Amino acid sequence: DAGVTQSPTHLIKTRGQQVTLRCSPKSGHDTVSWYQQALGQGPQFIFQYYEEEERQRGNFPDRFSGHQFPNYSSELNVNALLLGDSALYLCASSLAGGVEAFFGQGTRLTVV
Amino acid sequence: TQLLEQSPQFLSIQEGENLTVYCNSSSVFSSLQWYRQEPGEGPVLLVTVVTGGEVKKLKRLTFQFGDARKDSSLHITAAQPGDTGLYLCADSGYSTLTFGKGTMLLVSP
């Protein structure tokens, strides 16, 4: 079992550009959540996808959007990048209603 | 909005020492989870506690949940360099996680 895999591991983008991050959940998991972790902070919840629908959303602007595919994999898209979007983006998978989330290693996004 | 405060923010100790880190919430936890995050990795779940007053042990780690379910502590006995990492507490309510800022622990040989 490969666990949760994220790609790419590192990414450098220019202010104003758009970025897409990808996540494959742990085998058997149907729910994917995305978190943003700024330097020196704990992870902050962005949104959660289940059955290809956004089920819950945290306090993030509409520039952050996502998608879940029929195979449960997910993408996080960020438009009009700001310097403040530089962070580690974490994907977590779980079973619907489950209490245990498994995290990927994250994508380190740097906006210059 | 629930706020989780963790203390201390940073702790640097020698191998073999004991330590305790704390997590306090502005509201009652749905259920409390502790995670450890190593540099360049995602958080890994250590324990879930649900009942007020609950104590759980995981090898050299002891987790306590306050009676009022608003605070928790993590005690590590005889710390080892492999314990180095960011210790995060989180409220796992409504299938999403609210995290504190974490305690960064550095254990030197």
Side-chain angles (χ1 to χ4, degrees), chain B residues 2-6 23-25 29 89-91 98-101:
Chain B
Q2 182 183 29
L3 292 177
L4 302 186
E5 298 223 6
Q6 293 190 241
C23 174
N24 289 280
S25 173
F29 282 97
C89 67
D91 187 355
T98 301
F99 285 92
K101 291 185 178 182

Side-chain angles (χ1 to χ4, degrees), chain A residues 33 35 37 40-45 48 55-56 88 90 94 97-101 103-106, chain B residues 31 33 35 37 40-45 48 86 88 92-102:
Chain A
S33 303
Y35 293 81
Q37 187 175 21
Q41 304 291 319
Q44 270 197 292
F45 173 70
Q48 184 182 82
R55 187 161 73 168
Q56 291 191 67
L88 180 68
L90 294 162
S94 59
V99 297
E100 186 168 5
F103 284 83
Q105 84 283 2
Chain B
S31 65
Q33 295 185 329
Y35 289 79
Q37 183 178 22
E41 300 292 328
V44 175
L45 179 65
T48 300
L86 179 67
L88 294 157
S92 58
Y94 304 104
S95 78
T96 66
L97 296 167
T98 301
F99 285 92
K101 291 185 178 182

